[in-house]
Amino acid sequence: MDKSQPENLKNAGLKSTLPRLKILGLFESGQERHMSAEDVYKLLLSTGDDVGLATVYRVLTQFEHAGLLVRHNFEGGKSVFELNEGKHHDHIVCLQCGHVEEFYDTTIESRQKKVAAELGFEVHDHSLHIYADCTKTKCPHKPRNV
Amino acid sequence: MDKSQPENLKNAGLKSTLPRLKILGLFESGQERHMSAEDVYKLLLSTGDDVGLATVYRVLTQFEHAGLLVRHNFEGGKSVFELNEGKHHDHIVCLQCGHVEEFYDTTIESRQKKVAAELGFEVHDHSLHIYADCTKTKCPHKPRNV
DNA sequence: ATGAGTGCAAATTTTTTGCAGGCCT
DNA sequence: AGGCCTGCAAAAAATTTGCACTCAT
């Protein structure tokens, strides 16, 4: 977890470039675990790191293929990425604001496998998605950037 | 369940028109429970019922708002619709071909509520999504129409 | 130097919207 | 008749791709 970023990129067979280091750095900073391409792009702009949006998309996809990031398509239309830290977990997503929380529940895990088997499916490592609302009245999280 | 389609539309406050009847008919025929706008559009074309793609999108959205259909955004990018028959159920989706199966598991339901509550969420009626593979070797279902 | 990487603009894909004309009630 | 509906084309939103130029090794 303390491996320097250039090393991470090398191991992934990717050349160590500024855009890649910046983007990986954002995810490793832990500020925001789940980000869309647009989120990353705007964050970089806000810190003066001018990276093209197309490059953000390309790098995110490369990182996904390299196993550094995991891509999710939650309800809402845009792809969301998170650091691949090896430990399996599921996600619960707010339908109002898009906020994402992670969880791991052994009962759900085993039950999920059972249900899948009965229906002729085999669960591998993909996250299960629960969709809900942060609260019944008003959503405490930031409004979904649609 | 045997209510005539025009009646269903009337009850939803929608004028009974040919495109609407055709589209609702497709879902009620039970041939294919889960369809994207493109799926519906192509099916209608194949049966000689020429309906504009824009109309398909508009009608599907209207039906969703009227509570006749439910919209899902599974991994894969496109919205998928299914008839709203009132009975809650969850979905397991094949990551290879996009095939969808429905299920209902009381253990998962209760556990889902518990997990949500612990994380400050409230689950209403939205489907939970499990993502898996039809089989480990080759997918028996139709290839995903990407 | 040299091929991978980047930025910009144009192209794709999925979905929405404006507008003129057409069909329910 | 009057307005909701539809079709077509253009607009939007998210993502991908072509191309000339730049940077890492």
Side-chain angles (χ1 to χ4, degrees):
Chain A
M1 198 191 235
D2 265 19
K3 297 195 183 81
S4 75
Q5 296 163 12
E7 194 172 320
N8 278 340
L9 291 178
K10 290 284 173 52
N11 294 340
L14 295 170
K15 214 170 266 184
S16 173
T17 66
L18 214 39
R20 285 175 180 162
L21 289 170
K22 291 291 184 186
I23 293 174
L24 187 52
L26 270 189
F27 283 97
E28 290 186 335
S29 79
Q31 287 304 104
E32 195 77 52
R33 281 196 50 79
H34 304 86
M35 290 184 281
S36 67
E38 194 71 28
D39 293 335
V40 170
Y41 177 65
K42 286 180 180 161
L43 263 178
L44 290 178
L45 284 194
S46 75
T47 54
D49 301 296
D50 291 321
V51 176
L53 180 55
T55 298
V56 172
Y57 274 105
R58 264 186 299 235
V59 169
L60 289 176
T61 300
Q62 289 162 348
F63 283 1
E64 180 197 7
H65 292 148
L68 293 173
L69 296 179
V70 178
R71 177 197 301 256
H72 296 288
N73 283 287
F74 300 124
E75 302 271 348
K78 2 173 103 169
S79 285
V80 171
F81 298 80
E82 72 175 322
L83 212 50
N84 179 4
E85 298 175 304
K87 25 180 199 285
H88 172 71
H89 57 269
D90 294 321
H91 295 90
I92 181 165
V93 184
C94 178
L95 288 167
Q96 307 306 313
C97 69
H99 178 76
V100 178
E101 287 282 348
E102 306 177 351
F103 70 90
Y104 183 84
D105 183 278
T106 53
T107 304
I108 288 183
E109 287 302 316
S110 60
R111 207 68 194 176
Q112 173 185 13
K113 281 201 183 62
K114 181 177 178 299
V115 165
E118 287 171 355
L119 293 171
F121 284 78
E122 180 170 328
V123 177
H124 289 119
D125 196 50
H126 198 288
S127 164
L128 170 153
H129 301 348
I130 291 179
Y131 293 97
D133 295 325
C134 292
T135 70
K136 58 242 100 170
T137 50
K138 59 178 181 182
C139 183
H141 303 293
K142 63 187 180 309
R144 180 199 294 259
N145 51 331
V146 180
Chain B
M1 200 192 233
D2 266 21
K3 295 196 184 80
S4 75
Q5 295 163 11
E7 194 172 320
N8 278 341
L9 290 178
K10 291 282 172 56
N11 295 340
L14 295 170
K15 217 170 266 185
S16 172
T17 66
L18 214 39
R20 285 174 181 163
L21 289 170
K22 291 290 183 187
I23 293 175
L24 187 51
L26 269 189
F27 282 96
E28 289 185 336
S29 77
Q31 288 304 105
E32 196 77 51
R33 280 194 52 80
H34 305 85
M35 290 183 282
S36 68
E38 193 72 28
D39 292 336
V40 170
Y41 177 66
K42 285 181 180 162
L43 262 178
L44 290 177
L45 284 193
S46 74
T47 53
D49 301 296
D50 290 321
V51 176
L53 180 56
T55 299
V56 171
Y57 273 105
R58 262 186 300 235
V59 170
L60 289 176
T61 300
Q62 289 162 347
F63 284 1
E64 181 197 8
H65 292 149
L68 293 173
L69 296 180
V70 178
R71 179 197 300 255
H72 295 289
N73 284 288
F74 300 123
E75 303 272 348
K78 356 174 107 169
S79 284
V80 171
F81 298 81
E82 74 175 320
L83 212 49
N84 180 4
E85 298 175 304
K87 23 181 200 286
H88 173 71
H89 58 268
D90 293 321
H91 294 90
I92 182 166
V93 183
C94 178
L95 288 167
Q96 307 306 313
C97 69
H99 179 75
V100 178
E101 287 282 349
E102 304 176 352
F103 70 90
Y104 183 84
D105 183 277
T106 52
T107 303
I108 288 183
E109 287 301 316
S110 60
R111 207 68 194 176
Q112 174 185 10
K113 282 200 182 62
K114 182 178 179 297
V115 165
E118 286 172 353
L119 294 171
F121 285 78
E122 180 169 330
V123 176
H124 289 118
D125 196 48
H126 198 288
S127 163
L128 170 154
H129 302 346
I130 291 179
Y131 293 96
D133 294 327
C134 291
T135 70
K136 56 239 100 168
T137 50
K138 58 179 182 183
C139 183
H141 304 292
K142 63 189 181 308
R144 178 198 295 258
N145 51 331
V146 182

